[in-house]
């Protein structure tokens, strides 16, 4: 199973689409991980003598309204954006797997209650749920992580549940059960490993959406609090000098757009390599 | 009707509507008209009734006249009152009224109007404006005397407030709660045509007007015959409207738009001195700010010059005390003013027992010098917070910024949950000191929680025992000197008021009169062409 996945990943990276997007994402992750060492300047170092300077050799991406280096802030911002969205989607996937698997496998009243609540959250746009939750929890990165995790929970729960339900009626599962295997064995050894692939692909695509959602919340001032940079918050403070220093808003915007595009491309490549769609067809 | 017939009839209707519109437009184009956008602080007034309003916009100053006008240098000038006199003991005021003034409904303005008007404030939110007045006596048809309960030299300031625009008694009593909504009748240069709450007010010139104040060149009917005042909440939208000509004048432009304004050839702007102060507010009941030495060190660490330059693009003034600089009460002992002095700030903290750790952060009794700075999400305030954060780092103070919307900020102040907050006020009278620092106003608006016998005694003298204006000035100086000596606030910036206009549409006088761009200047504005 694991070998098969590793092979699929290799296959995905070897395509043109997968290669380019994979390389970009790898660079981004390295940038985020080693932000303090890679940034040319400390991200919070103000120098009021060089406010709103256009990109130059000393400041490759220019400076913002406090004379801070935009490139350094974007590298640290990548760290914020990635860690928030990956953590949030990670929590969401874990919870979704547990809830979806339990509901799909056992069914009954528990399933009905959980699915009603899940459907209820499903009926609102993610941004609304996230805004509401952040308003309750309060501004700050922890609040944003929890809000995004809950906003995407419905998606993963439903996906897992459907997968488990369709796999449950496969002959090999029925055979395992008739051989006397317990619930735990059937769920963890047979059902979940087979249900995982589409969920992981969905998670990759959702990470892209989560980056946008994080940026949106940051734009509203609900995410990282100053001076911690996030792409969304940088764009938000950049609106005020859109015509004086357009790079402060354009570059982080470009970073968000590129990251999301490449995440989607990479997700596509992985889907093709894993042949998830073909599997759907068989089912 | 078949489909073709339907289409034909629709196009006929459209054509007719188009012609009708065009006809209406050309008929109206012959008389000068203009559109102003209200400033963000005056948006959302539910009505234009000055007596029961808590929020009034420029509109009220155009519909109603006041007895007294206040100029840009805070001096007082006659308008509907031609002259006035305060007795030496301050216990009565005599006003000579202007003759020949009529309300929009044709009713005459005279002493009887005043005798009806003053008691109307009883029970209204603006009662405080006249609560020192015991009763109004009619001396003759055009002379009234206010008999006072106590001496109140500030009455003259109150009379110049836009809440003391005088409505027509007859229309006021007839309209009841609808006054200011469907109908608003005053003696001012403009008559109300229509008012849509939160959207716009349409005014038409009062052609009978001939009693303009000294502050205006034009004493007669205004040049703009039809004036629409729109409420556009978003500053960027309002700015684009100005650029494209949808709006002729903005009654309030955030400082960060000034570079753009200067770059546009068709746009220009005028400025008036400030109407308020941006400052840091301490909560003296939340540690570490209970300690005056920490407050003083914080105050000295703030560099007003740097903030003026970066946040406000060099527009406005550095503030080193709490009152706007045009008020004489602001001229306190210069030694007491708060100026940037990093060395002294560090020395004060050293003495107070806050020792620097290896990471540069100060620690006392095992506790790091870490505080929360509350700020609003509005650009200038947020930026001020970020600079203050960096400046306080230099004295070893770690500052965490909490950004909230303005309602939440006020809520936090009321509950005393803040330690330090970036605040802004708009007021052109020294009694703002009483508002923010009097014991009687704890917990809000006195969110500093300051309780001190000496301060309160000086406040009582300034507020209640001043008999003349000169006495009041001296008393308020002493009161502020006491407050500033206790380091209850950090003055930062005195903004200017900016008014932008489209040069292709309007001709605005070089020099604006009045404390804000209201009636006095509006009647002098001309439409181009």
């Amino acid at each position: 199973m694991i070998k098969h996945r590793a092979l699929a990943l290799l296959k995905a990276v070897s395509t043109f689409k997968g290669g380019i997007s994979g390389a970009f994402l790898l660079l981004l992750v390295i940038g985020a991980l080693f932000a303090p060492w890679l940034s040319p300047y400390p991200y919070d170092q103000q120098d009021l003598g060089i406010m709103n300077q256009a990109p130059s050799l000393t400041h490759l991406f220019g400076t913002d309204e406090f004379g801070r280096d935009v490139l350094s802030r974007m590298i640290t911002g990548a760290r914020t954006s990635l860690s928030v969205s990956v953590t949030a989607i990670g929590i969401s996937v874990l919870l979704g797997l547990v809830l979806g698997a339990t509901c799909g496998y056992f069914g009954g009243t528990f399933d009905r209650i959980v699915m009603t609540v899940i459907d209820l959250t499903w009926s609102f746009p993610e941004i609304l749920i996230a805004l509401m939750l952040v308003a309750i929890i309060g501004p700050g990165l922890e609040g944003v992580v929890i809000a995004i995790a809950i906003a995407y929970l419905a998606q993963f729960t439903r996906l897992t549940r459907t997968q488990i339900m369709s796999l449950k009626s496969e002959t090999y599962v029925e055979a395992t059960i008739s051989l006397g295997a317990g619930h735990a064995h059937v769920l963890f050894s047979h059902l979940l490993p087979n249900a995982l692939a589409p969920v992981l692909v969905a998670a990759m695509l959702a990470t892209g959406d989560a980056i946008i959602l994080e940026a949106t919340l940051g734009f509203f001032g609900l995410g990282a609090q100053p001076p911690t940079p996030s792409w969304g918050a940088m764009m938000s403070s950049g609106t005020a000098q859109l015509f004086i220093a357009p790079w402060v808003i354009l570059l982080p915007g470009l970073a968000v757009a590129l990251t999301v595009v490449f995440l989607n491309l990479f997700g596509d490549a992985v889907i093709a390599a894993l042949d998830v769609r073909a599997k759907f067809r068989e089912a | 009707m078949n489909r073709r017939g339907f289409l034909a009839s629709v196009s006929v209707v459209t054509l007719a509507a188009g012609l009708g519109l065009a006809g209406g437009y050309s008929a109206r184009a012959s008389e000068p008209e203009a559109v102003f956008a209200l400033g963000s602080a005056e948006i959302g007034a539910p009505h234009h009734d000055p007596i029961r309003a808590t929020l009034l916009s420029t509109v009220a100053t155009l519909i109603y006249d006041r007895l007294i006008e206040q100029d840009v240098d805070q001096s007082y000038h006659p308008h509907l009152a031609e002259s006035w006199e305060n007795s030496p003991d301050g216990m009565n005021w005599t006003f000579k009224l202007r003759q020949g003034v009529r309300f929009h409904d044709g009713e005459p303005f005279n002493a009887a109007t005043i005798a009806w008007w003053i008691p109307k404030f009883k029970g209204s939110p603006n009662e405080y404006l006249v609560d020192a007045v015991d009763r109004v006596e009619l001396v003759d048809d055009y002379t009234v005397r206010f008999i006072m309960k106590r001496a109140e030299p500030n009455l003259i300031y109150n009379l110049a407030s836009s809440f003391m625009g005088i409505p027509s008694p007859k229309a006021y009593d007839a309209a009841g709660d609808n006054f200011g909504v469907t109908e608003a009748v005053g003696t001012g240069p403009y008559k109300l045509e229509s008012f849509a709450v939160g959207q716009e007010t349409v005014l038409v010139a009062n052609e009978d007007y001939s009693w303009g104040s000294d502050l205006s060149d034009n004493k007669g009917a205004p040049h703009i015959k039809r004036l629409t005042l729109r409420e556009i909440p978003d500053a960027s939208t309002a700015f684009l409207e100005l650029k494209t000509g949808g709006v002729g004048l903005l009654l309030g432009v955030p400082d960060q738009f000034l570079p753009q304004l200067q770059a546009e050839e068709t746009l220009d702007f005028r400025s008036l001195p400030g109407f308020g102060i941006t400052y840091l507010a301490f909560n003296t009941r939340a540690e570490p700010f209970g300690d005056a030495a920490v407050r003083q060190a914080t105050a000295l660490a703030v560099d007003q010059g740097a903030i003026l330059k970066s946040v406000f693009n060099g527009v406005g003034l550095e503030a080193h005390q709490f009152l706007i600089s045009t008020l004489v009460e602001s001229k306190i002992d210069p030694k007491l003013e708060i100026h940037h002095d990093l060395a002294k700030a560090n020395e004060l903290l050293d003495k107070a027992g806050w020792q620097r750790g290896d990471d540069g952060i100060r620690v006392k009794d095992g506790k790091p010098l870490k505080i929360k700075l509350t700020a609003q999400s509005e650009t200038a305030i947020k930026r001020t917070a970020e600079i203050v954060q960096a400046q306080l780092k230099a004295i070893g103070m770690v500052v965490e910024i909490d950004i909230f919307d303005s309602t939440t900020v006020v809520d936090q102040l009321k509950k005393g949950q803040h330690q330090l907050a970036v605040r802004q006020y708009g007021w052109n009278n020294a009694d703002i000191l009483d508002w923010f620092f009097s014991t009687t106003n704890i917990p809000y608006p006195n969110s500093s929680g300051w309780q001190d016998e000496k301060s309160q005694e000086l406040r009582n003298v300034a507020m209640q025992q001043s008999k003349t204006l000169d006495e009041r000035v001296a008393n308020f100086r002493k009161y502020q000197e006491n407050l500033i000596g206790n380091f209850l606030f950090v003055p930062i910036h005195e903004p200017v008021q900016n008014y932008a206009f489209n040069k292709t549409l309007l001709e605005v006088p070089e020099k604006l009169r009045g404390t804000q761009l209201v009636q006095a200047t509006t009647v002098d504005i001309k439409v181009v062409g």
Side-chain angles (χ1 to χ4, degrees), chain B residues 47-60:
Chain B
H47 57 76
H48 303 306
D49 173 358
I51 295 178
R52 61 188 174 99
T54 49
L55 174 66
L56 279 180
S57 68
T58 303
V59 173

Side-chain angles (χ1 to χ4, degrees), chain A residues 223-258:
Chain A
Q225 295 297 298
T228 312
S230 87
W231 291 344
M234 287 176 77
M235 288 164 74
S236 163
S237 57
T239 48
Q241 65 255 31
L242 180 58
F243 298 97
I244 311 161
W247 48 91
V248 181
I249 185 166
L250 288 181
L251 294 171
L254 200 65
V256 172
L258 282 180

Side-chain angles (χ1 to χ4, degrees), chain B residues 338-452:
Chain B
I338 293 172
H339 289 269
H340 181 54
D341 187 346
L342 200 55
K344 190 165 179 205
N346 275 313
E347 195 188 307
L348 279 164
L349 287 177
D350 286 340
K351 266 193 209 151
W354 291 94
Q355 299 305 325
R356 269 198 199 261
D358 296 334
D359 51 0
I361 299 164
R362 287 184 188 270
V363 182
K364 185 180 179 181
D365 305 330
K367 270 195 190 158
L369 189 54
K370 194 172 166 186
I371 61 119
K372 272 194 177 171
L373 176 58
T374 309
Q376 264 157 257
S377 46
E378 194 203 320
T379 309
I381 296 192
K382 204 165 98 182
R383 285 188 178 175
T384 304
E386 283 194 61
I387 294 208
V388 166
Q389 184 180 42
Q391 289 176 347
L392 293 183
K393 201 174 162 186
I395 55 165
M397 188 183 280
V398 181
V399 177
E400 268 180 34
I401 298 179
D402 276 346
I403 307 268
F404 299 102
D405 59 291
S406 57
T407 332
T408 314
V409 172
V410 170
D411 200 47
Q412 293 224 336
L413 295 181
K414 280 182 181 164
K415 291 182 186 149
Q417 288 166 334
H418 64 297
Q419 284 176 293
L420 187 64
V422 185
R423 300 293 293 154
Q424 243 171 4
Y425 80 79
W427 194 245
N428 60 339
N429 193 296
D431 61 11
I432 193 74
L433 294 167
D434 157 68
W435 180 254
F436 284 124
F437 301 106
S438 167
T439 313
T440 49
N441 288 340
I442 292 175
Y444 189 84
N446 180 1
S447 56
S448 72
W450 181 245
Q451 266 177 306
D452 180 83

Side-chain angles (χ1 to χ4, degrees), chain B residues 50-54 117-131 149 172:
Chain B
I51 295 178
R52 61 188 174 99
T54 49
W117 173 56
I118 296 293
K120 277 280 166 192
F121 281 91
K122 193 144 188 66
S124 80
N126 300 320
E127 189 176 349
Y128 75 95
L129 291 168
V130 292
D131 71 354
K149 287 182 211 159
Y172 196 92

Side-chain angles (χ1 to χ4, degrees), chain B residues 225-254:
Chain B
K225 296 304 173 197
R226 190 183 166 83
L227 179 59
T228 306
L229 293 113
R230 284 177 59 193
E231 305 188 19
I232 307 174
D234 180 54
S236 310
T237 315
F239 187 78
L240 282 176
E241 284 275 19
L242 179 75
K243 233 171 111 173
T244 54
V247 164
L249 186 142
L250 302 184
L251 290 163
V253 184

Side-chain angles (χ1 to χ4, degrees), chain B residues 106-344:
Chain B
E107 292 291 306
F109 165 83
N110 52 34
T113 314
I114 305 296
W116 165 89
W117 173 56
I118 296 293
K120 277 280 166 192
F121 281 91
K122 193 144 188 66
S124 80
N126 300 320
E127 189 176 349
Y128 75 95
L129 291 168
V130 292
D131 71 354
V133 179
D134 185 40
R135 61 181 197 278
V136 178
E137 277 181 7
L138 303 189
V139 178
D140 61 46
D141 272 2
Y142 293 96
T143 311
V144 288
R145 184 169 296 138
F146 290 7
I147 311 295
M148 309 295 286
K149 287 182 211 159
R150 59 166 197 275
E152 176 53 293
N154 202 40
L155 179 72
I156 188 167
Y157 170 80
N158 292 346
L159 288 173
S161 143
S162 58
F163 294 96
M164 298 213 73
I166 305 169
S168 154
K170 196 176 156 197
Y172 196 92
D173 287 336
D177 279 352
N178 283 330
F179 192 84
V181 186
T182 51
E183 174 166 26
V185 182
T187 58
Y190 282 97
K191 301 179 190 178
L192 179 73
E193 184 177 281
S194 69
F195 170 47
V197 180
Q199 292 175 29
E200 61 171 35
T201 307
V202 182
L203 302 174
V204 287
N206 174 9
E207 292 300 336
D208 301 328
Y209 198 71
S210 62
W211 46 87
S213 78
D214 293 355
L215 303 188
S216 316
D217 284 338
N218 170 22
K219 314 275 190 242
H223 302 299
I224 302 169
K225 296 304 173 197
R226 190 183 166 83
L227 179 59
T228 306
L229 293 113
R230 284 177 59 193
E231 305 188 19
I232 307 174
D234 180 54
S236 310
T237 315
F239 187 78
L240 282 176
E241 284 275 19
L242 179 75
K243 233 171 111 173
T244 54
V247 164
L249 186 142
L250 302 184
L251 290 163
V253 184
D255 288 329
Q256 69 258 27
F257 285 95
L258 291 185
Q260 268 172 269
L261 256 173
Q262 284 154 339
E264 290 287 336
E265 238 170 57
T266 55
L267 306 183
D268 200 355
F269 73 99
R270 301 273 185 268
S271 297
L272 275 177
F275 199 71
I277 298 283
T278 308
Y279 65 101
L280 293 181
F282 290 112
N283 182 355
T284 61
R285 292 190 290 190
E287 290 310 325
F289 294 123
D291 182 352
V294 179
R295 292 201 300 269
Q296 186 179 0
T298 309
L300 298 181
V302 171
D303 181 353
Q304 287 92 345
I307 297 176
L308 171 66
K309 188 178 148 216
S310 59
V311 179
F312 301 99
N313 296 313
V315 180
L317 301 167
E318 293 177 23
H320 297 289
Q321 49 76 46
F322 202 69
L323 301 174
I324 57 172
S325 54
T326 44
L327 285 172
V328 272
E329 289 91 335
S330 73
K331 310 287 177 262
I332 58 166
D333 181 353
K335 284 196 295 277
L336 289 168
E337 287 184 353
I338 293 172
H339 289 269
H340 181 54
D341 187 346
L342 200 55
K344 190 165 179 205

